[in-house]
Amino acid sequence: MANNSTTVNTNGAVAIVNNLTWDDATWILTSSFIIFTMQSGFGLLESGAVTRKNEVNIMIKNAADVIFGGISYWMVGFGMSFGKDEGSNGFIGVGYFFVDSNGPDMGQLFATFVFQLSFATTATTIVSGAMAERTKLTSYMVYSFFNTYVYCIPAHWVWDKNGFLNKLGCVDIAGSGVVHLCGGTASLVATFLLQPRTGRYENGAQRPTLGNPVNTIIGLFMLWWGWLGFNCGSTFGISGGKWKLAAKSAVITMNGSVGAGFAGIVLSVILYKGKYDVSTIVNSVLGGMVGVTASCAVIRPWEAVITGAIGSILSVFGARLLDKMKLDDPVGAISVHGVCGLWGMLAVGIFAQKENFQNLTTGRNGLVHGGGFYLLGVQALTCVSIMAWSTFGTFLILWLLKKTFGIRLSLEEEELGADFVEHNIDSNNRNDSNIIFSSRRTSRIPSSVSTITRDSLEMITISENIRNAPNRTDQNEDNAFCKFLDQVITKLKRNREIAPAE
């Protein structure tokens, strides 16, 4: 393990610092704990966006991001980003593997690790929403483990002093590029490989109704809270002049979000003829915060309002464009995190202003402050680099999973819902309307099946019809799906206190 420590990174989140005060460490750890609550926010937002038959499954996937992403980040990921041992270069770090220390750097190392861990798990969680309602949980767990490495490489490029983009002067204070653009690009690749949910676009590009709008709104508030820790914590302390930058980051984060929220409400009224659409407003606020994440300590409050409002517009129309392209993203992760992350990185090159406390822009101004095109060009190069790497890494992981274990639920499993098939949660115990069979999704289901079921007795009849349909090609009693349906029928009958037929 490396023994040396590095100085503060001047371009955003930092590696290991050797001059942390206990005040700084308290700030870092508290910010880390706040950021960790964003997992709850993502889980609630995503569970509210999907159908109710998949809401538990999506929460479990958010837990898997922490569990499997966390263990891989501790093992290798942190060292790939911030390692200083022999072999480290501008592309990848070496050292700090299986993070541990008993030496004088223990406090600095552990505080930094916990902070960076919260960022790493967030980058993976972004992808879970885009893959919702049709992904095998086991395959997703494997993906969560390896996706950490997709995130760690760009983190080294941008946030470690040896990273090649860091040396060029790239600025990404809290992760518009490293976290959000990387996660949004991974989401795009995942939706392409998974293909849309069954029947999603058979009636056009209109988005489905939210399964639980209240969950989505509560998730927004939790993410709003967490984002303040995300951006303000990236000052990596409060000693010296860093507390001033933390305070500024809070103002920029709030201004970006309220500017985006205002724009989102206006767009909703226009696009939905006087109605206040929940998804539009929620994703607008999130898109605005993504937009100011890279620049939260280096732009002015009025610029944050503009940046956030543009992020709102991009998130709304980006989602509509993706639907026209039939790229099915149930929660809008691609537009919110990918498109707005791209905008956030470019906004630095436009609005950034050098400051004298931590020299976060290495003495450079953005375009509107007379800095010319250099910083904007570096930011654009950073975006291209992150998108290219994330596309390659994500495609490789998911393609290998697709060819081996498979990544998508079967049609029947998708119809029954992941809550039932992967967690054994009976829909009858959570409201009979949770399992919905739609006539749009019946390529392998007999036409006699009803369009919508709301009573468990009707579900039993439907399941038996599917099980015994004369045109099925898999009637063998040993067939796995037949056994599965037998279990479904038995469970439904037991729940209704109906004895199974002899």
Side-chain angles (χ1 to χ4, degrees):
M1 191 187 81
N3 293 319
N4 57 315
S5 298
T6 69
T7 56
V8 178
N9 186 327
T10 58
N11 301 82
V14 301
I16 311 301
V17 299
N18 57 13
N19 58 348
L20 281 181
T21 67
W22 68 269
D23 289 330
D24 289 335
T26 301
W27 178 258
I28 294 164
L29 290 172
T30 302
S31 298
S32 303
F33 304 152
I34 293 173
I35 296 168
F36 188 77
T37 64
M38 294 179 76
Q39 296 292 336
S40 301
F42 277 116
L44 284 168
L45 185 142
E46 293 169 8
S47 69
V50 302
T51 54
R52 294 195 62 195
K53 61 184 177 180
N54 293 295
E55 61 184 2
V56 174
N57 182 258
I58 199 66
M59 293 293 282
I60 291 294
K61 284 173 179 168
N62 277 267
D65 292 329
V66 179
I67 296 167
F68 292 95
I71 193 69
S72 62
Y73 191 72
W74 169 73
M75 291 168 60
V76 181
F78 182 76
M80 292 171 64
S81 293
F82 302 114
K84 302 298 175 186
D85 284 354
E86 184 178 354
S88 299
N89 53 56
F91 180 80
I92 190 171
V94 177
Y96 293 121
F97 299 138
F98 298 91
V99 177
D100 193 10
S101 175
N102 284 321
D105 69 339
M106 181 180 69
Q108 294 92 333
L109 175 61
F110 286 164
T112 305
F113 170 76
V114 172
F115 185 78
Q116 296 295 347
L117 172 65
S118 65
F119 275 58
T121 55
T122 298
T124 301
T125 295
I126 291 169
V127 190
S128 64
M131 300 174 72
E133 300 202 273
R134 61 214 193 269
T135 307
K136 291 181 177 180
L137 180 57
T138 301
S139 296
Y140 183 81
M141 289 176 176
V142 177
Y143 167 75
S144 294
F145 182 87
F146 287 104
N147 186 63
T148 301
Y149 306 127
V150 176
Y151 159 83
C152 294
I153 298 299
H156 177 77
W157 297 346
V158 175
W159 287 336
D160 188 81
K161 71 171 186 178
N162 292 325
F164 79 95
L165 292 172
N166 184 283
K167 291 181 177 180
L168 290 175
C170 166
V171 178
D172 187 5
I173 304 300
S176 286
V178 174
V179 177
H180 297 285
L181 180 57
C182 184
T185 303
S187 298
L188 178 62
V189 174
T191 57
F192 173 77
L193 287 174
L194 275 170
Q195 295 297 301
R197 289 165 288 178
T198 305
R200 168 65 179 87
Y201 294 111
E202 289 185 9
N203 289 336
Q206 183 176 354
R207 298 185 70 82
T209 303
L210 296 177
N212 190 331
V214 173
N215 275 9
T216 297
I217 296 170
I218 294 174
L220 167 65
F221 281 117
M222 294 194 72
L223 288 172
W224 216 329
W225 151 258
W227 228 291
L228 290 169
F230 207 84
N231 288 0
C232 300
S234 292
T235 60
F236 218 72
I238 55 175
S239 61
K242 288 184 284 189
W243 69 272
K244 298 179 182 179
L245 294 177
K248 182 179 182 180
S249 295
V251 173
I252 299 305
T253 302
M254 291 305 300
N255 276 24
S257 62
V258 298
F262 181 83
I265 289 174
V266 172
L267 285 173
S268 176
V269 171
I270 295 172
L271 296 174
Y272 293 93
K273 299 179 179 178
K275 303 299 181 182
Y276 298 96
D277 180 67
V278 173
S279 291
T280 298
I281 296 171
V282 167
N283 284 344
S284 290
V285 174
L286 294 176
M289 287 192 287
V290 172
V292 298
T293 294
S295 58
C296 58
V298 295
I299 64 174
R300 306 295 295 276
W302 67 268
E303 294 168 333
V305 174
I306 295 173
T307 302
I310 294 174
S312 168
I313 296 169
L314 291 173
S315 69
V316 172
F317 288 101
R320 290 185 163 225
L321 176 61
L322 290 169
D323 280 334
K324 289 184 180 298
M325 298 169 63
K326 296 186 177 180
L327 289 168
D328 184 19
D329 179 2
V331 302
I334 301 171
S335 57
V336 168
H337 299 280
V339 177
C340 294
L342 175 64
W343 159 240
M345 290 297 289
L346 297 178
V348 173
I350 298 172
F351 296 119
Q353 211 171 4
K354 61 183 179 181
E355 47 76 35
N356 298 320
F357 299 112
Q358 294 293 311
N359 193 27
L360 295 174
T361 65
T362 58
R364 297 185 179 93
N365 285 322
L367 188 61
V368 300
H369 294 291
F373 287 93
Y374 179 84
L375 183 56
L376 182 60
V378 171
Q379 297 297 107
L381 174 63
T382 301
C383 292
V384 172
S385 301
I386 292 174
M387 292 171 67
W389 171 255
S390 183
T391 298
F392 169 76
T394 305
F395 184 87
L396 179 62
I397 296 169
L398 290 178
W399 183 83
L400 289 173
L401 284 172
K402 186 175 182 178
K403 295 299 181 182
T404 51
F405 302 105
I407 57 176
R408 179 155 182 156
L409 296 170
S410 68
L411 172 64
E412 290 82 3
E413 291 170 332
E414 187 180 347
E415 291 291 349
L416 288 168
D419 287 2
F420 186 88
V421 301
E422 303 222 79
H423 307 290
N424 203 30
I425 297 176
D426 293 344
S427 63
N428 191 54
N429 293 335
R430 299 175 59 245
N431 187 324
D432 292 333
S433 64
N434 288 356
I435 292 183
I436 297 178
F437 289 85
S438 169
S439 58
R440 295 180 293 131
R441 307 177 179 182
T442 53
S443 58
R444 291 171 55 195
I445 299 176
S447 59
S448 60
V449 174
S450 300
T451 302
I452 298 177
T453 76
R454 294 188 179 276
D455 182 82
S456 59
L457 182 59
E458 188 177 356
M459 290 184 192
I460 294 171
T461 303
I462 288 174
S463 299
E464 289 177 334
N465 285 345
I466 298 173
R467 171 67 175 83
N468 302 316
N471 61 338
R472 290 196 66 89
T473 60
D474 51 3
Q475 286 292 325
N476 189 321
E477 294 298 325
D478 292 329
N479 179 270
F481 179 61
C482 288
K483 290 182 177 180
F484 168 72
L485 275 180
D486 288 339
Q487 293 176 4
V488 173
I489 294 167
T490 301
K491 287 177 180 292
L492 289 172
K493 286 182 176 180
R494 185 183 300 124
N495 289 337
R496 289 185 56 86
E497 297 182 352
I498 299 176
E502 294 293 329

